[in-house]
């Protein structure tokens, strides 16, 4: 009785050719994938971005940090280029020299980003200086600063006044050159240097 199925010679030939067919398929797949380009085309982020930047960026994101902001800050520190204090990852400490105000008159500090204004009371005086420290992200880049006494009343269509009715003028925060600073510490912005004087 004759055996059913593939002839013995054909079965052996297919068995010998199957590894070659598998390798050929894998090579074809590799070249097809390379010619199609990456499925995700995201830029490298973080330190050592060509090799380990992805892992570093993921670690920074899990820690609640912005990898792009950290890189921007690191470049500014290395090159000494000016940076907007609002982008500094350690926050900002605003200072103004104590002009001898009595306890009933407290400096107020406002930030106007073009849409809204946030107002805070400065602390102190400590060693003759009033201070206000804001956390990263609390001041938008390009915001204007306003300083008055006992509050601020901001009128986009007219003059802005402080709590005592004195007219106040906003000032821009200029980018500052940073060298040798710890990016986890607040950067100091002296409001006297921006032209603010309390009376």
């Amino acid at each position: 009785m004759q055996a059913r199925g593939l002839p013995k010679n054909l079965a052996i030939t297919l068995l010998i050719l199957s590894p070659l067919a598998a390798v050929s398929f894998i090579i074809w797949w590799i070249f097809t994938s390379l010619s199609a380009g990456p499925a995700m085309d995201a830029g490298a982020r973080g330190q050592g971005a060509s090799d380990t930047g992805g892992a570093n960026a993921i670690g920074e994101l899990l820690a609640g940090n912005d990898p792009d902001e950290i890189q921007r800050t690191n470049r500014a520190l290395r090159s000494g280029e000016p940076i907007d204090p609002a982008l500094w990852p350690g926050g900002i400490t605003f200072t103004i020299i104590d002009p001898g105000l009595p306890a009933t008159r407290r400096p107020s500090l406002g930030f106007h980003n073009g849409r809204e204004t946030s107002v805070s009371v400065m602390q102190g005086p400590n060693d003759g200086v009033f201070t206000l420290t804001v956390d990263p992200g609390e001041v938008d880049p390009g915001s204007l600063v306003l300083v008055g006494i006992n509050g601020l009343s901001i009128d986009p269509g007219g003059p802005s006044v402080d709590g005592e009715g004195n007219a106040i003028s906003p000032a821009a925060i200029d980018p500052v050159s940073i060298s040798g600073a710890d990016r986890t510490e607040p950067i100091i912005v002296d409001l006297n240097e921006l032209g603010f004087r309390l009376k």
Side-chain angles (χ1 to χ4, degrees):
M1 183 175 185
Q2 191 172 3
R4 293 184 179 179
L6 291 173
K8 189 174 183 182
N9 291 344
L10 181 59
I12 292 173
T13 303
L14 290 176
L15 183 64
I16 292 172
L17 291 177
S18 61
L20 181 61
V23 170
S24 299
F25 173 75
I26 291 171
I27 292 172
W28 170 81
W29 186 16
I30 289 171
F31 280 101
T32 302
S33 298
L34 288 175
S35 64
M40 295 189 328
D41 194 13
R45 301 171 70 183
Q47 293 178 338
S50 61
D51 300 316
T52 62
N56 289 340
I58 290 169
E60 293 292 355
L61 287 170
L62 292 175
N65 301 322
D66 180 356
D68 292 331
E69 180 180 282
I70 291 169
Q71 282 305 305
R72 184 171 45 247
T73 303
N74 288 340
R75 279 193 300 273
L77 285 172
R78 283 193 303 270
S79 65
E81 68 185 53
I83 186 171
D84 188 330
L87 299 174
W88 186 250
I92 313 170
T93 295
F94 292 93
T95 64
I96 192 164
I97 296 172
D98 175 18
L101 295 176
T104 56
R105 302 178 76 217
R106 306 289 297 162
S108 299
L109 190 59
F111 308 103
H112 184 67
N113 64 7
R115 300 177 308 280
E116 57 187 4
T117 302
S118 60
V119 179
S120 301
V121 176
M122 298 187 78
Q123 305 298 314
N126 184 16
D127 294 329
V129 178
F130 285 101
T131 61
L132 176 69
T133 299
V134 295
D135 292 329
E138 286 189 26
V139 178
D140 292 332
S143 291
L144 299 176
V145 180
L146 303 102
V147 179
I149 298 176
N150 292 339
L152 299 170
S153 176
I154 313 303
D155 183 0
S160 300
V161 296
D162 66 7
E164 297 183 345
N166 301 312
I168 54 175
S169 299
I173 308 174
D174 294 328
V176 295
S177 294
I178 302 162
S179 61
D182 181 350
R183 64 185 176 108
T184 63
E185 295 294 324
I187 190 170
I188 306 296
V189 173
D190 185 348
L191 295 173
N192 296 108
E193 293 180 358
L194 295 181
F196 289 109
R197 301 287 185 272
L198 296 177
K199 300 174 185 174

